[in-house]
Amino acid sequence: MSLHVQQFFDDVLALPFDDHAVVGNAYYASPQPDSVLRLRIDFAPTIRHGEYDGLRLRVIHPDQGVVDTVILPFADHGTFTRRDAARTLGAGSDGHAVFRDWGDRHSAVEPPWKGAQGTGLHTAIHRYARVWFPGPWALARSSRPQAHTALKAPAMPAGNTPARSR
């Protein structure tokens, strides 16, 4: 695969993990320093060779192997919404919400995911990682502000209140 994988993970996703490496076509991270679990992210292939429609996230244990897997489709996270709108590719059209590492004459100059927006994927990966790797890294690098809870309204006093009789 002639992809610029490091560029995708650095530029498009900008993941918050300090301890990470790209090996081949996969991104490996140790989000929690004391954990034996590792996070692996690679491209989720379609049934066509060299075509990808999302990211596959795996939590890996060194002795037990893959502990959990989830697929994050590009279509569900708005990754290629702008690109596909500019090309007038709607849902169900060939090439919608996918990228291919073949057949593009510009592939040597531009990566096949040109025009990708990584915000939705970044947020989904962050949320997934917080489940498997809870800890201070999740709080320190959270891009979303903490949710504010609504104040509870005082309860109505019990007593003589007009009510329907049956």
Side-chain angles (χ1 to χ4, degrees):
M1 181 185 311
S2 61
L3 299 177
H4 308 102
V5 178
Q6 182 79 44
Q7 182 184 3
F8 178 82
F9 289 111
D10 290 346
D11 298 345
V12 176
L13 292 182
L15 295 173
F17 311 120
D18 292 332
D19 188 11
H20 70 275
V22 173
V23 179
N25 295 320
Y27 176 94
Y28 292 89
S30 300
Q32 204 171 37
D34 299 334
S35 177
V36 296
L37 297 177
R38 300 293 178 258
L39 178 64
R40 176 189 168 144
I41 304 172
D42 57 359
F43 298 108
T46 66
I47 60 171
R48 291 184 184 177
H49 175 73
E51 183 178 78
Y52 307 92
D53 64 353
L55 294 178
R56 178 176 43 206
L57 282 64
R58 294 179 180 161
V59 175
I60 301 172
H61 186 277
D63 297 326
Q64 299 171 0
V66 176
V67 177
D68 190 58
T69 301
V70 67
I71 303 291
L72 302 177
F74 294 141
D76 292 352
H77 295 90
T79 308
F80 294 110
T81 302
R82 277 195 235 161
R83 180 202 70 181
D84 290 349
R87 294 179 180 177
T88 63
L89 290 175
S93 300
D94 184 36
H96 172 72
V98 301
F99 75 83
R100 298 173 177 141
D101 67 352
W102 49 268
D104 187 3
R105 59 187 173 89
H106 300 291
S107 62
V109 179
E110 298 173 340
W113 53 75
K114 182 179 183 211
Q117 300 296 315
T119 306
L121 288 171
H122 174 92
T123 302
I125 292 168
H126 187 71
R127 287 180 181 164
Y128 179 79
R130 279 191 354 209
V131 171
W132 287 97
F133 306 97
W137 73 268
L139 298 174
R141 292 188 174 85
S142 178
S143 59
R144 285 182 71 183
Q146 291 292 330
H148 296 285
T149 57
L151 298 175
K152 290 186 178 182
M156 294 297 291
N160 293 339
T161 57
R164 289 189 295 165
S165 59
R166 293 184 188 218

PDB file of all heavy atoms in Angstrom, residues 3 5-6 13 18 35 40 42 46 60 63 68 73 81 85 87 100-101 106 108 121 124 133 135 138 148 161:
ATOM      1  N   LEU A   3       0.391   4.297   0.817  1.00  0.00           N
ATOM      2  CA  LEU A   3      -0.247   5.383   1.567  1.00  0.00           C
ATOM      3  C   LEU A   3       0.772   6.113   2.424  1.00  0.00           C
ATOM      4  O   LEU A   3       1.765   5.545   2.852  1.00  0.00           O
ATOM      5  CB  LEU A   3      -1.349   4.817   2.468  1.00  0.00           C
ATOM      6  CG  LEU A   3      -2.497   4.101   1.767  1.00  0.00           C
ATOM      7  CD1 LEU A   3      -3.456   3.535   2.797  1.00  0.00           C
ATOM      8  CD2 LEU A   3      -3.227   5.036   0.844  1.00  0.00           C
ATOM      9  N   VAL A   5       0.679   6.908   5.599  1.00  0.00           N
ATOM     10  CA  VAL A   5      -0.074   6.623   6.812  1.00  0.00           C
ATOM     11  C   VAL A   5       0.300   7.562   7.954  1.00  0.00           C
ATOM     12  O   VAL A   5      -0.571   8.067   8.658  1.00  0.00           O
ATOM     13  CB  VAL A   5       0.107   5.140   7.214  1.00  0.00           C
ATOM     14  CG1 VAL A   5      -0.619   4.836   8.498  1.00  0.00           C
ATOM     15  CG2 VAL A   5      -0.384   4.242   6.098  1.00  0.00           C
ATOM     16  N   GLN A   6       1.568   7.805   8.141  1.00  0.00           N
ATOM     17  CA  GLN A   6       2.008   8.711   9.204  1.00  0.00           C
ATOM     18  C   GLN A   6       1.351  10.081   9.038  1.00  0.00           C
ATOM     19  O   GLN A   6       0.890  10.682  10.003  1.00  0.00           O
ATOM     20  CB  GLN A   6       3.528   8.850   9.175  1.00  0.00           C
ATOM     21  CG  GLN A   6       4.081   9.749  10.273  1.00  0.00           C
ATOM     22  CD  GLN A   6       4.163   9.041  11.607  1.00  0.00           C
ATOM     23  OE1 GLN A   6       4.591   7.900  11.675  1.00  0.00           O
ATOM     24  NE2 GLN A   6       3.742   9.713  12.662  1.00  0.00           N
ATOM     25  N   LEU A  13      -5.959  13.209  11.803  1.00  0.00           N
ATOM     26  CA  LEU A  13      -6.544  12.841  13.097  1.00  0.00           C
ATOM     27  C   LEU A  13      -5.973  13.611  14.281  1.00  0.00           C
ATOM     28  O   LEU A  13      -6.692  13.895  15.226  1.00  0.00           O
ATOM     29  CB  LEU A  13      -6.376  11.343  13.351  1.00  0.00           C
ATOM     30  CG  LEU A  13      -7.178  10.438  12.432  1.00  0.00           C
ATOM     31  CD1 LEU A  13      -6.972   8.983  12.821  1.00  0.00           C
ATOM     32  CD2 LEU A  13      -8.653  10.785  12.459  1.00  0.00           C
ATOM     33  N   ASP A  18       0.772  10.489  23.521  1.00  0.00           N
ATOM     34  CA  ASP A  18       2.195  10.814  23.494  1.00  0.00           C
ATOM     35  C   ASP A  18       3.041   9.615  23.056  1.00  0.00           C
ATOM     36  O   ASP A  18       3.955   9.746  22.268  1.00  0.00           O
ATOM     37  CB  ASP A  18       2.670  11.287  24.868  1.00  0.00           C
ATOM     38  CG  ASP A  18       2.057  12.632  25.241  1.00  0.00           C
ATOM     39  OD1 ASP A  18       1.732  13.419  24.330  1.00  0.00           O
ATOM     40  OD2 ASP A  18       1.896  12.884  26.446  1.00  0.00           O
ATOM     41  N   SER A  35      -0.495   0.428  31.682  1.00  0.00           N
ATOM     42  CA  SER A  35      -1.358  -0.628  31.163  1.00  0.00           C
ATOM     43  C   SER A  35      -0.603  -1.520  30.184  1.00  0.00           C
ATOM     44  O   SER A  35       0.253  -1.060  29.429  1.00  0.00           O
ATOM     45  CB  SER A  35      -2.564  -0.008  30.455  1.00  0.00           C
ATOM     46  OG  SER A  35      -3.371  -1.009  29.887  1.00  0.00           O
ATOM     47  N   ARG A  40      -4.556  -0.214  18.641  1.00  0.00           N
ATOM     48  CA  ARG A  40      -4.100  -0.298  17.250  1.00  0.00           C
ATOM     49  C   ARG A  40      -5.195   0.282  16.372  1.00  0.00           C
ATOM     50  O   ARG A  40      -6.366  -0.063  16.518  1.00  0.00           O
ATOM     51  CB  ARG A  40      -3.843  -1.738  16.837  1.00  0.00           C
ATOM     52  CG  ARG A  40      -3.461  -1.833  15.368  1.00  0.00           C
ATOM     53  CD  ARG A  40      -3.398  -3.242  14.861  1.00  0.00           C
ATOM     54  NE  ARG A  40      -3.315  -3.219  13.402  1.00  0.00           N
ATOM     55  CZ  ARG A  40      -2.619  -4.057  12.685  1.00  0.00           C
ATOM     56  NH1 ARG A  40      -1.936  -5.011  13.262  1.00  0.00           N
ATOM     57  NH2 ARG A  40      -2.606  -3.970  11.381  1.00  0.00           N
ATOM     58  N   ASP A  42      -6.085   0.982  12.266  1.00  0.00           N
ATOM     59  CA  ASP A  42      -5.721   0.847  10.865  1.00  0.00           C
ATOM     60  C   ASP A  42      -6.961   1.124  10.017  1.00  0.00           C
ATOM     61  O   ASP A  42      -8.029   1.404  10.545  1.00  0.00           O
ATOM     62  CB  ASP A  42      -5.101  -0.522  10.563  1.00  0.00           C
ATOM     63  CG  ASP A  42      -5.989  -1.693  10.929  1.00  0.00           C
ATOM     64  OD1 ASP A  42      -7.102  -1.489  11.434  1.00  0.00           O
ATOM     65  OD2 ASP A  42      -5.566  -2.841  10.700  1.00  0.00           O
ATOM     66  N   THR A  46     -12.961  -2.333   2.491  1.00  0.00           N
ATOM     67  CA  THR A  46     -14.248  -2.763   1.959  1.00  0.00           C
ATOM     68  C   THR A  46     -14.015  -4.114   1.269  1.00  0.00           C
ATOM     69  O   THR A  46     -12.931  -4.689   1.393  1.00  0.00           O
ATOM     70  CB  THR A  46     -14.798  -1.744   0.942  1.00  0.00           C
ATOM     71  OG1 THR A  46     -13.936  -1.727  -0.204  1.00  0.00           O
ATOM     72  CG2 THR A  46     -14.897  -0.345   1.540  1.00  0.00           C
ATOM     73  N   ILE A  60      -5.495  -4.380  22.200  1.00  0.00           N
ATOM     74  CA  ILE A  60      -4.701  -5.609  22.132  1.00  0.00           C
ATOM     75  C   ILE A  60      -4.008  -5.854  23.465  1.00  0.00           C
ATOM     76  O   ILE A  60      -3.401  -4.947  24.044  1.00  0.00           O
ATOM     77  CB  ILE A  60      -3.655  -5.510  21.010  1.00  0.00           C
ATOM     78  CG1 ILE A  60      -4.361  -5.269  19.670  1.00  0.00           C
ATOM     79  CG2 ILE A  60      -2.785  -6.750  20.961  1.00  0.00           C
ATOM     80  CD1 ILE A  60      -3.422  -4.975  18.531  1.00  0.00           C
ATOM     81  N   ASP A  63      -0.837 -11.077  25.809  1.00  0.00           N
ATOM     82  CA  ASP A  63      -1.018 -12.520  25.966  1.00  0.00           C
ATOM     83  C   ASP A  63      -2.336 -13.020  25.381  1.00  0.00           C
ATOM     84  O   ASP A  63      -2.406 -14.125  24.847  1.00  0.00           O
ATOM     85  CB  ASP A  63      -0.960 -12.908  27.446  1.00  0.00           C
ATOM     86  CG  ASP A  63       0.387 -12.610  28.064  1.00  0.00           C
ATOM     87  OD1 ASP A  63       1.411 -12.737  27.349  1.00  0.00           O
ATOM     88  OD2 ASP A  63       0.426 -12.229  29.250  1.00  0.00           O
ATOM     89  N   ASP A  68     -10.894  -6.230  22.028  1.00  0.00           N
ATOM     90  CA  ASP A  68     -12.087  -5.556  21.513  1.00  0.00           C
ATOM     91  C   ASP A  68     -11.757  -4.929  20.163  1.00  0.00           C
ATOM     92  O   ASP A  68     -10.626  -4.516  19.925  1.00  0.00           O
ATOM     93  CB  ASP A  68     -12.558  -4.470  22.492  1.00  0.00           C
ATOM     94  CG  ASP A  68     -13.908  -3.905  22.122  1.00  0.00           C
ATOM     95  OD1 ASP A  68     -14.875  -4.695  22.042  1.00  0.00           O
ATOM     96  OD2 ASP A  68     -14.018  -2.681  21.895  1.00  0.00           O
ATOM     97  N   PRO A  73     -16.944   4.041  10.683  1.00  0.00           N
ATOM     98  CA  PRO A  73     -17.109   4.363   9.256  1.00  0.00           C
ATOM     99  C   PRO A  73     -16.907   5.850   8.973  1.00  0.00           C
ATOM    100  O   PRO A  73     -17.353   6.703   9.742  1.00  0.00           O
ATOM    101  CB  PRO A  73     -18.553   3.957   8.961  1.00  0.00           C
ATOM    102  CG  PRO A  73     -18.944   3.046  10.075  1.00  0.00           C
ATOM    103  CD  PRO A  73     -18.163   3.498  11.270  1.00  0.00           C
ATOM    104  N   THR A  81     -17.470  14.381   3.918  1.00  0.00           N
ATOM    105  CA  THR A  81     -18.698  15.099   3.575  1.00  0.00           C
ATOM    106  C   THR A  81     -18.439  16.224   2.581  1.00  0.00           C
ATOM    107  O   THR A  81     -19.119  16.338   1.562  1.00  0.00           O
ATOM    108  CB  THR A  81     -19.373  15.643   4.848  1.00  0.00           C
ATOM    109  OG1 THR A  81     -19.638  14.542   5.725  1.00  0.00           O
ATOM    110  CG2 THR A  81     -20.659  16.361   4.523  1.00  0.00           C
ATOM    111  N   ALA A  85     -19.482  16.223  -1.379  1.00  0.00           N
ATOM    112  CA  ALA A  85     -20.420  17.253  -1.826  1.00  0.00           C
ATOM    113  C   ALA A  85     -19.853  17.995  -3.032  1.00  0.00           C
ATOM    114  O   ALA A  85     -20.574  18.296  -3.989  1.00  0.00           O
ATOM    115  CB  ALA A  85     -20.722  18.224  -0.693  1.00  0.00           C
ATOM    116  N   ARG A  87     -17.868  16.790  -5.209  1.00  0.00           N
ATOM    117  CA  ARG A  87     -17.877  15.848  -6.340  1.00  0.00           C
ATOM    118  C   ARG A  87     -19.288  15.383  -6.689  1.00  0.00           C
ATOM    119  O   ARG A  87     -19.447  14.523  -7.553  1.00  0.00           O
ATOM    120  CB  ARG A  87     -17.031  14.617  -6.005  1.00  0.00           C
ATOM    121  CG  ARG A  87     -15.564  14.897  -5.835  1.00  0.00           C
ATOM    122  CD  ARG A  87     -14.840  13.616  -5.483  1.00  0.00           C
ATOM    123  NE  ARG A  87     -13.417  13.811  -5.315  1.00  0.00           N
ATOM    124  CZ  ARG A  87     -12.576  12.863  -4.946  1.00  0.00           C
ATOM    125  NH1 ARG A  87     -13.008  11.636  -4.724  1.00  0.00           N
ATOM    126  NH2 ARG A  87     -11.303  13.124  -4.811  1.00  0.00           N
ATOM    127  N   ARG A 100      -9.423   5.283  -1.959  1.00  0.00           N
ATOM    128  CA  ARG A 100      -8.789   4.149  -2.624  1.00  0.00           C
ATOM    129  C   ARG A 100      -7.307   4.428  -2.797  1.00  0.00           C
ATOM    130  O   ARG A 100      -6.916   5.560  -3.028  1.00  0.00           O
ATOM    131  CB  ARG A 100      -9.426   3.932  -3.997  1.00  0.00           C
ATOM    132  CG  ARG A 100     -10.896   3.606  -3.902  1.00  0.00           C
ATOM    133  CD  ARG A 100     -11.529   3.564  -5.273  1.00  0.00           C
ATOM    134  NE  ARG A 100     -12.925   3.176  -5.162  1.00  0.00           N
ATOM    135  CZ  ARG A 100     -13.887   3.702  -5.892  1.00  0.00           C
ATOM    136  NH1 ARG A 100     -13.626   4.615  -6.800  1.00  0.00           N
ATOM    137  NH2 ARG A 100     -15.126   3.298  -5.722  1.00  0.00           N
ATOM    138  N   ASP A 101      -6.520   3.381  -2.719  1.00  0.00           N
ATOM    139  CA  ASP A 101      -5.079   3.556  -2.929  1.00  0.00           C
ATOM    140  C   ASP A 101      -4.667   3.081  -4.319  1.00  0.00           C
ATOM    141  O   ASP A 101      -3.528   2.746  -4.548  1.00  0.00           O
ATOM    142  CB  ASP A 101      -4.268   2.860  -1.839  1.00  0.00           C
ATOM    143  CG  ASP A 101      -4.382   1.348  -1.869  1.00  0.00           C
ATOM    144  OD1 ASP A 101      -5.197   0.817  -2.640  1.00  0.00           O
ATOM    145  OD2 ASP A 101      -3.649   0.689  -1.107  1.00  0.00           O
ATOM    146  N   HIS A 106      -3.041  11.193  -9.323  1.00  0.00           N
ATOM    147  CA  HIS A 106      -2.388  12.134  -8.418  1.00  0.00           C
ATOM    148  C   HIS A 106      -1.841  11.451  -7.159  1.00  0.00           C
ATOM    149  O   HIS A 106      -1.353  12.114  -6.270  1.00  0.00           O
ATOM    150  CB  HIS A 106      -3.377  13.224  -7.984  1.00  0.00           C
ATOM    151  CG  HIS A 106      -3.909  14.020  -9.120  1.00  0.00           C
ATOM    152  ND1 HIS A 106      -3.136  14.884  -9.852  1.00  0.00           N
ATOM    153  CD2 HIS A 106      -5.144  14.058  -9.672  1.00  0.00           C
ATOM    154  CE1 HIS A 106      -3.879  15.442 -10.793  1.00  0.00           C
ATOM    155  NE2 HIS A 106      -5.098  14.952 -10.713  1.00  0.00           N
ATOM    156  N   ALA A 108       0.751   9.863  -6.376  1.00  0.00           N
ATOM    157  CA  ALA A 108       2.154  10.076  -6.014  1.00  0.00           C
ATOM    158  C   ALA A 108       2.356  11.452  -5.381  1.00  0.00           C
ATOM    159  O   ALA A 108       3.279  11.643  -4.600  1.00  0.00           O
ATOM    160  CB  ALA A 108       3.039   9.931  -7.236  1.00  0.00           C
ATOM    161  N   LEU A 121     -13.833  11.686  13.616  1.00  0.00           N
ATOM    162  CA  LEU A 121     -13.073  10.485  13.952  1.00  0.00           C
ATOM    163  C   LEU A 121     -12.223  10.708  15.203  1.00  0.00           C
ATOM    164  O   LEU A 121     -12.141   9.831  16.064  1.00  0.00           O
ATOM    165  CB  LEU A 121     -12.171  10.065  12.788  1.00  0.00           C
ATOM    166  CG  LEU A 121     -12.853   9.468  11.573  1.00  0.00           C
ATOM    167  CD1 LEU A 121     -11.861   9.309  10.438  1.00  0.00           C
ATOM    168  CD2 LEU A 121     -13.502   8.144  11.915  1.00  0.00           C
ATOM    169  N   ALA A 124     -14.438  10.413  18.213  1.00  0.00           N
ATOM    170  CA  ALA A 124     -14.867   9.025  18.441  1.00  0.00           C
ATOM    171  C   ALA A 124     -13.724   8.166  18.983  1.00  0.00           C
ATOM    172  O   ALA A 124     -13.922   7.356  19.894  1.00  0.00           O
ATOM    173  CB  ALA A 124     -15.407   8.431  17.139  1.00  0.00           C
ATOM    174  N   PHE A 133      -8.856   2.983  28.429  1.00  0.00           N
ATOM    175  CA  PHE A 133      -7.675   3.562  29.065  1.00  0.00           C
ATOM    176  C   PHE A 133      -8.076   4.775  29.903  1.00  0.00           C
ATOM    177  O   PHE A 133      -7.700   5.905  29.582  1.00  0.00           O
ATOM    178  CB  PHE A 133      -6.653   3.982  27.997  1.00  0.00           C
ATOM    179  CG  PHE A 133      -6.287   2.870  27.056  1.00  0.00           C
ATOM    180  CD1 PHE A 133      -6.912   2.746  25.823  1.00  0.00           C
ATOM    181  CD2 PHE A 133      -5.318   1.950  27.402  1.00  0.00           C
ATOM    182  CE1 PHE A 133      -6.574   1.726  24.944  1.00  0.00           C
ATOM    183  CE2 PHE A 133      -4.968   0.925  26.541  1.00  0.00           C
ATOM    184  CZ  PHE A 133      -5.601   0.805  25.310  1.00  0.00           C
ATOM    185  N   GLY A 135      -8.069   7.525  32.748  1.00  0.00           N
ATOM    186  CA  GLY A 135      -6.956   8.113  33.474  1.00  0.00           C
ATOM    187  C   GLY A 135      -6.810   9.581  33.185  1.00  0.00           C
ATOM    188  O   GLY A 135      -7.597  10.177  32.462  1.00  0.00           O
ATOM    189  N   ALA A 138      -7.019  11.448  29.597  1.00  0.00           N
ATOM    190  CA  ALA A 138      -8.318  11.760  29.003  1.00  0.00           C
ATOM    191  C   ALA A 138      -8.820  13.116  29.468  1.00  0.00           C
ATOM    192  O   ALA A 138      -9.423  13.860  28.706  1.00  0.00           O
ATOM    193  CB  ALA A 138      -9.328  10.679  29.356  1.00  0.00           C
ATOM    194  N   HIS A 148     -22.496  20.867  31.714  1.00  0.00           N
ATOM    195  CA  HIS A 148     -23.094  21.485  32.892  1.00  0.00           C
ATOM    196  C   HIS A 148     -24.411  20.785  33.181  1.00  0.00           C
ATOM    197  O   HIS A 148     -25.191  20.512  32.273  1.00  0.00           O
ATOM    198  CB  HIS A 148     -23.347  22.975  32.646  1.00  0.00           C
ATOM    199  CG  HIS A 148     -22.066  23.737  32.422  1.00  0.00           C
ATOM    200  ND1 HIS A 148     -21.215  24.047  33.443  1.00  0.00           N
ATOM    201  CD2 HIS A 148     -21.496  24.211  31.291  1.00  0.00           C
ATOM    202  CE1 HIS A 148     -20.176  24.702  32.963  1.00  0.00           C
ATOM    203  NE2 HIS A 148     -20.319  24.810  31.652  1.00  0.00           N
ATOM    204  N   THR A 161     -53.815  19.971  47.321  1.00  0.00           N
ATOM    205  CA  THR A 161     -53.681  20.454  45.964  1.00  0.00           C
ATOM    206  C   THR A 161     -54.932  20.040  45.200  1.00  0.00           C
ATOM    207  O   THR A 161     -55.492  18.983  45.480  1.00  0.00           O
ATOM    208  CB  THR A 161     -52.436  19.868  45.259  1.00  0.00           C
ATOM    209  OG1 THR A 161     -52.538  18.458  45.284  1.00  0.00           O
ATOM    210  CG2 THR A 161     -51.160  20.340  45.906  1.00  0.00           C
TER     211      THR A 161
END
